Amino acid sequence: MPKNKKYGNESIKSLKGADRVRKRPAVIFGSDGIEGCQHSIFEIMSNSIDEAREGRGNKIIITRFEDGSVEIQDFGAGIPVDYNSAEKTENWKLLFCEMYAGGKYDAGSDNYEYSLGLNGLGLCATQYASEYMDAEIHRDGFCYKLHFEHGENIGGLDKQPYDKKDTGSRIKWKPDLKVFTDINVPLDYFKETIKRQAIVNDGVTFVLKNQTGAKFETFEYSYKNGIKDYVEELAADTAFTSPQYWECERVGRDRADLKDYKLKIKASLCFSQKVQLKEYYHNSSFLEHGGSPDKAFRSAFVNEINAYLKANNKYNKTDSQINVQDVEDILILVISSFSTQTSYENQTKKAITNKFIQDAMTEFFRKQLE
């Protein structure tokens, strides 16, 4: 028989500060293993991507060091870290040390219209989960520096006059092996993730530097016309239809009693018997599990192709109707959508669930296919 343990009022505990992430990283990052560590890296990258998408800088540099540390530099406006009179504290304390603090809560605001980072968790959670983090920020004529160790700030904010014209943020950190079971994120993850971001962020140049001994090998990714160029690259000479590019903007709501929000849809596709691919992105996040865009694809493509075949007497009496697998077997399709309001399946942003987005995409694709 197990011993009786006293369970009373004092048995209840509340995690505070960095322990909210360090003791339960999977809640924020989806895993305490390599996938969670990878997601923490993407959280920092996504902030730089949001800057570039808003026209604040068109280059992002990602450096992978041999010891597992990572550095991400952008040339945007720079993270605001000075005193915030509305919140009566310094912004660096909110952004680096408080969960659910950020500048992206007002959907469609002037600061970020279509934002990848929505929850105000990524920067703080990654800082909490790091062995150390160093931030250097250039904005408003000053150079700001911050240093953290194991989720705690060391030395406060260092603020010095800066007379150069460049602005932006440079963050270097090392994921903590006391938080993640593995921090050896493979080079392929960086290559695949950065290439995907180049595909859906037209005209932004991503530079990946990978340390090998005393040297750094460099990889550069940029797609001037985004997903259109990507589909043409994939299809090459294997397509039996010319690559198509469609885009539109819609306004709607997920439920009658909710507010309207804006949606932008971009899609590129062609049919090929040698190359098959479906990829979905929303606010540039790769939707590994799809959600609303995948449901729209299944409904629109199968129904419209079936309708065409019937209308043109292409079916024999013994033929069964085509299904989604038949379409997928000959299709290259990339969908990149953006909205000012997004319902992600969870914090790792691998699927979206918005009903309006699904309905708008279904209608749009059916009309384009007609």
Side-chain angles (χ1 to χ4, degrees):
M1 292 286 292
K3 292 181 180 179
N4 290 326
K5 293 183 179 179
K6 187 177 179 180
Y7 180 69
N9 288 317
E10 285 68 36
S11 302
I12 306 301
K13 296 182 180 180
S14 172
L15 293 178
K16 298 177 179 64
D19 281 347
R20 290 174 291 176
V21 174
R22 294 180 68 83
K23 289 183 180 291
R24 294 292 185 270
V27 174
I28 301 298
F29 302 120
S31 163
D32 64 356
I34 196 67
E35 287 187 354
C37 185
Q38 290 171 172
H39 186 72
S40 73
I41 293 169
F42 187 70
E43 288 287 355
I44 304 300
M45 195 186 307
S46 68
N47 291 330
S48 294
I49 292 166
D50 283 340
E51 282 291 287
R53 186 179 300 126
E54 292 300 319
R56 300 191 282 265
N58 60 2
K59 185 178 182 180
I60 298 170
I61 302 172
I62 303 98
T63 306
R64 175 183 182 266
F65 295 93
E66 284 186 326
D67 68 351
S69 59
V70 180
E71 182 180 88
I72 296 178
Q73 179 182 11
D74 66 50
F75 302 88
I79 302 169
V81 289
D82 247 331
Y83 187 76
N84 183 331
S85 58
E87 295 289 340
K88 296 181 172 55
T89 188
E90 291 171 297
N91 275 326
W92 72 263
K93 294 178 181 177
L94 296 173
L95 296 171
F96 286 86
C97 305
E98 289 293 334
M99 309 286 276
Y100 298 102
K104 305 173 186 177
Y105 288 122
D106 296 327
S109 69
D110 292 337
N111 293 326
Y112 298 96
E113 184 173 28
Y114 298 109
S115 175
L116 176 53
L118 290 172
N119 300 324
L121 292 170
L123 177 57
C124 175
T126 302
Q127 188 278 112
Y128 279 162
S130 64
E131 183 178 318
Y132 70 84
M133 176 179 281
D134 289 306
E136 180 175 329
I137 298 147
H138 299 163
R139 66 171 289 140
D140 303 328
F142 292 95
C143 174
Y144 302 87
K145 292 183 180 179
L146 290 158
H147 177 68
F148 302 87
E149 295 178 7
H150 306 290
E152 300 293 334
N153 173 252
I154 307 296
L157 177 68
D158 179 54
K159 178 181 178 181
Q160 301 292 335
Y162 187 73
D163 57 8
K164 295 181 180 179
K165 293 183 178 180
D166 65 287
T167 59
S169 304
R170 182 200 298 256
I171 297 178
K172 183 180 179 182
W173 78 102
K174 184 177 180 181
D176 200 337
L177 268 172
K178 293 180 180 178
V179 176
F180 300 107
T181 60
D182 188 357
I183 65 167
N184 186 28
V185 176
L187 178 60
D188 282 348
Y189 168 80
F190 285 89
K191 287 182 174 180
E192 291 168 8
T193 302
I194 293 168
K195 181 178 179 179
R196 286 192 175 113
Q197 291 309 309
I199 289 165
V200 294
N201 289 285
D202 311 11
V204 178
T205 298
F206 291 79
V207 179
L208 170 61
K209 295 181 177 180
N210 179 55
Q211 185 180 24
T212 55
K215 298 181 180 180
F216 289 86
E217 53 182 339
T218 301
F219 308 88
E220 189 169 302
Y221 304 87
S222 182
Y223 285 81
K224 182 180 179 181
N225 300 304
I227 61 173
K228 181 181 178 183
D229 288 349
Y230 179 47
V231 168
E232 290 177 354
E233 174 187 291
L234 289 169
D237 58 356
T238 72
F240 60 85
T241 63
S242 59
Q244 301 291 307
Y245 176 76
W246 308 331
E247 68 173 86
C248 74
E249 293 189 17
R250 297 286 187 269
V251 175
R253 59 186 69 182
D254 293 317
R255 209 173 60 207
D257 59 325
L258 298 176
K259 292 182 179 180
D260 283 347
Y261 60 90
K262 292 194 290 185
L263 169 67
K264 183 185 294 184
I265 304 169
K266 298 180 178 182
S268 189
L269 71 149
C270 71
F271 291 94
S272 167
Q273 290 183 328
K274 294 184 179 179
V275 180
Q276 294 81 43
L277 177 105
K278 280 195 298 113
E279 287 184 355
Y280 308 121
Y281 300 85
H282 188 74
N283 288 358
S284 92
S285 184
F286 174 51
L287 302 180
E288 183 180 347
H289 302 149
S292 298
D294 188 59
K295 291 177 180 177
F297 152 72
R298 290 169 178 270
S299 175
F301 277 71
V302 173
N303 287 340
E304 285 305 311
I305 294 174
N306 261 322
Y308 170 82
L309 294 173
K310 288 178 181 177
N312 290 274
N313 297 315
K314 299 294 184 180
Y315 279 124
N316 295 319
K317 290 182 179 179
T318 57
D319 289 340
S320 58
Q321 290 191 357
I322 65 163
N323 56 41
V324 69
Q325 184 63 56
D326 296 324
V327 179
E328 289 174 333
D329 284 345
I330 56 168
L331 181 66
I332 299 173
L333 171 67
V334 181
I335 298 173
S336 177
S337 54
F338 299 85
S339 68
T340 52
Q341 182 175 309
T342 307
S343 297
Y344 287 102
E345 190 174 69
N346 55 42
Q347 164 63 9
T348 58
K349 302 184 178 79
K350 293 184 178 180
I352 60 172
T353 58
N354 300 66
K355 185 178 186 301
F356 163 61
I357 293 177
Q358 179 182 331
D359 292 344
M361 283 187 176
T362 302
E363 178 191 18
F364 175 62
F365 293 150
R366 291 187 72 163
K367 286 184 177 179
Q368 292 301 115
L369 287 164
E370 285 175 2

